[in-house]
Amino acid sequence: MSILIDTSVWIDYFRSGIRSSNLDVLIDENLIVTNDIILVELIPFLKVKRQFKVIDLLNNISKLSLNIDWNEIIRFQVICLQSGLNGIGIPDLILAQNIMQNHCSIYSFDKHFVWLKEALDIELYETL
C-alpha cells in the first residue's frame, strides 16, 4: 500500500528526524507517494534555502494525481461540521479525498487527520 507523506512529517524529517525516523524505511521500501499540494507547501521554502537536490528528490517521488470532486469536498465539509470539526481546512479535505481515491494511507503528525479518520474513515499510517 502506498503512503502519502504529509508536509508535517517532511518538516520533522528535514529538521531533526526524531518523530519521523521510520521514514527512511518507507523510502527504502518505495512505499511513499506525494501530490501537488504537499509539493507546493514544501518547495518554496526549500528554494529559499537553496536545497535544490532535495527539491529534485521530492519531484522524483511518485505523484498522485489530484482529481478534485468539489461536490465531495462539500459533502466532507458538511460531515466535519456536523461532527463538530470546524477547523478542518480545504487542503486537508482535498488530501483526504486524494488518499481515498487512490486507496492509500496518509502519514501525518497533524491532528486533523486523526479527526478525519473518525469522520471520513480515511486510512492513517500509524507507526509502531
Side-chain angles (χ1 to χ4, degrees):
M1 173 187 272
S2 296
I3 303 165
L4 181 64
I5 309 302
D6 186 37
T7 306
S8 60
V9 176
W10 284 116
I11 290 171
D12 178 81
Y13 185 75
F14 295 145
R15 285 189 178 156
S16 66
I18 293 170
R19 293 180 65 197
S20 59
S21 61
N22 60 328
L23 187 53
D24 284 326
V25 173
L26 299 176
I27 292 169
D28 290 344
E29 293 181 7
N30 199 30
L31 295 174
I32 67 168
V33 292
T34 193
N35 65 27
D36 285 327
I37 290 177
I38 291 166
L39 293 175
V40 164
E41 290 176 336
L42 291 171
I43 289 176
F45 178 78
L46 293 168
K47 281 189 175 193
V48 168
K49 294 294 185 181
R50 306 183 58 76
Q51 297 293 316
F52 300 114
K53 288 182 182 179
V54 175
I55 293 168
D56 286 342
L57 291 170
L58 287 171
N59 280 321
N60 284 313
I61 296 171
S62 295
K63 191 179 344 176
L64 301 176
S65 296
L66 287 170
N67 301 310
I68 302 170
D69 178 343
W70 292 106
N71 288 322
E72 188 173 49
I73 296 297
I74 291 169
R75 185 175 70 79
F76 287 175
Q77 187 72 309
V78 168
I79 291 168
C80 288
L81 292 172
Q82 289 172 335
S83 301
L85 303 176
N86 300 330
I88 307 293
I90 300 304
D92 286 346
L93 295 176
I94 293 171
L95 290 177
Q97 182 183 69
N98 193 228
I99 63 173
M100 292 169 79
Q101 288 171 339
N102 289 283
H103 309 287
C104 62
S105 61
I106 187 163
Y107 181 15
S108 178
F109 298 138
D110 183 344
K111 63 184 176 192
H112 290 155
F113 289 104
V114 174
W115 300 338
L116 287 172
K117 178 181 180 180
E118 298 301 317
L120 302 176
D121 197 32
I122 64 168
E123 184 75 29
L124 288 180
Y125 171 78
E126 300 187 41
T127 60
L128 300 174

